[in-house]
Amino acid sequence: MLKLINSIREDFRSIYDRDPAARNWLEIVLCYSGVQAVTMHRVNHILWKAGLKTLARFMSTLVRWFTGIEIHPGANIGRRFFIDHGMGIVIGETTDIGDDVMLYQGVVLGGTSWNKGKRHPTLENNVVVGAHAVVLGPITIGHHSKIGAGSVVTHEAPPHSSIVGIPGKVLHRHDENVPHAELEHGTMPDPYGDAIHSLNDRIKLLENKVEELKK
């Protein structure tokens, strides 16, 4: 029980570090659906591990009705987990989430198989997942990685990666001493856009050469 209380306290404290809109504890309790869903999940996970699986599933269903966030009670979630604007989030049964992970709205941590066993993602410490990103299958996203909004990730990613696009493309950050920062979508790289611009430049160059040959 003491461990549960400490985990919930850490969840609340971490919000002040990540959300400048957070003003006081009462507002967080009443208005932050992510906090409500994570707090109840910590209780439901205890019920699940105690063998009260039907009760845990029923409680998680009630939480989904009230918050719009679906977290399977079997999912393992680490310390200081924060869901920002949580509507539409889905976290599967065999998901493993490390410490200081942050998800934005619409994120899906889903499976790709109907087989029993590990079928959902593992997010290591300090991973940030942008709005409406989808991470599928029993893959591992390395610590201090960032997944851009709307990305679909189906392959492993090493630590300190930036992942963008459909399908998700991993862009490595070689300097592992760079401190973790919040996900800034305006500064995320766009490899697909860069490739298209490169092709456009090449096409223009070829068109100019064709015109010169015609002359």
Side-chain angles (χ1 to χ4, degrees):
M1 180 61 70
L2 181 59
K3 183 179 179 180
L4 172 63
I5 293 173
N6 288 336
S7 295
I8 294 173
R9 283 177 176 171
E10 285 186 329
D11 291 336
F12 273 77
R13 291 192 186 112
S14 69
I15 293 173
Y16 288 106
D17 297 330
R18 300 178 182 182
D19 188 357
R23 295 182 298 180
N24 56 68
W25 285 67
L26 181 62
E27 183 178 88
I28 291 173
V29 170
L30 296 178
C31 304
Y32 279 61
S33 61
V35 173
Q36 297 163 0
V38 172
T39 299
M40 286 306 303
H41 170 75
R42 298 201 184 281
V43 176
N44 294 336
H45 187 62
I46 293 174
L47 297 175
W48 180 266
K49 292 176 68 177
L52 302 173
K53 298 187 184 313
T54 300
L55 176 59
R57 288 297 305 273
F58 175 70
M59 294 292 290
S60 67
T61 299
L62 291 179
V63 173
R64 184 186 64 188
W65 287 348
F66 283 104
T67 66
I69 299 170
E70 181 175 345
I71 308 177
H72 193 286
N76 293 302
I77 294 179
R79 300 164 62 188
R80 297 177 296 276
F81 178 53
F82 181 39
I83 295 176
D84 196 9
H85 303 291
M87 180 62 68
I89 281 179
V90 178
I91 300 175
E93 176 186 2
T94 61
T95 301
D96 292 297
I97 297 176
D99 299 336
D100 300 297
V101 171
M102 182 174 182
L103 308 183
Y104 287 89
Q105 68 270 21
V107 168
V108 174
L109 305 179
T112 55
S113 171
W114 290 351
N115 297 325
K116 293 186 180 296
K118 178 66 173 174
R119 59 191 186 277
H120 297 97
T122 295
L123 307 184
E124 294 184 347
N125 297 343
N126 291 285
V127 170
V128 181
V129 185
H132 301 287
V134 178
V135 187
L136 298 175
I139 62 175
T140 298
I141 306 301
H143 60 83
H144 292 86
S145 290
K146 300 184 292 184
I147 299 176
S151 300
V152 178
V153 183
T154 57
H155 297 286
E156 304 264 339
H160 295 270
S161 293
S162 295
I163 309 163
V164 296
I166 304 174
K169 182 177 177 62
V170 176
L171 303 177
H172 300 282
R173 295 195 307 170
H174 296 288
D175 184 2
E176 296 189 357
N177 294 319
V178 175
H180 176 66
E182 298 300 338
L183 182 59
E184 296 289 347
H185 290 97
T187 61
M188 288 290 285
D190 183 6
Y192 298 100
D194 293 342
I196 291 172
H197 289 310
S198 179
L199 286 173
N200 283 335
D201 292 339
R202 181 64 176 170
I203 290 170
K204 289 179 181 179
L205 178 63
L206 293 173
E207 287 176 344
N208 292 334
K209 287 187 175 181
V210 170
E211 289 298 323
E212 291 176 2
L213 289 173
K214 284 182 178 180
K215 294 179 181 179

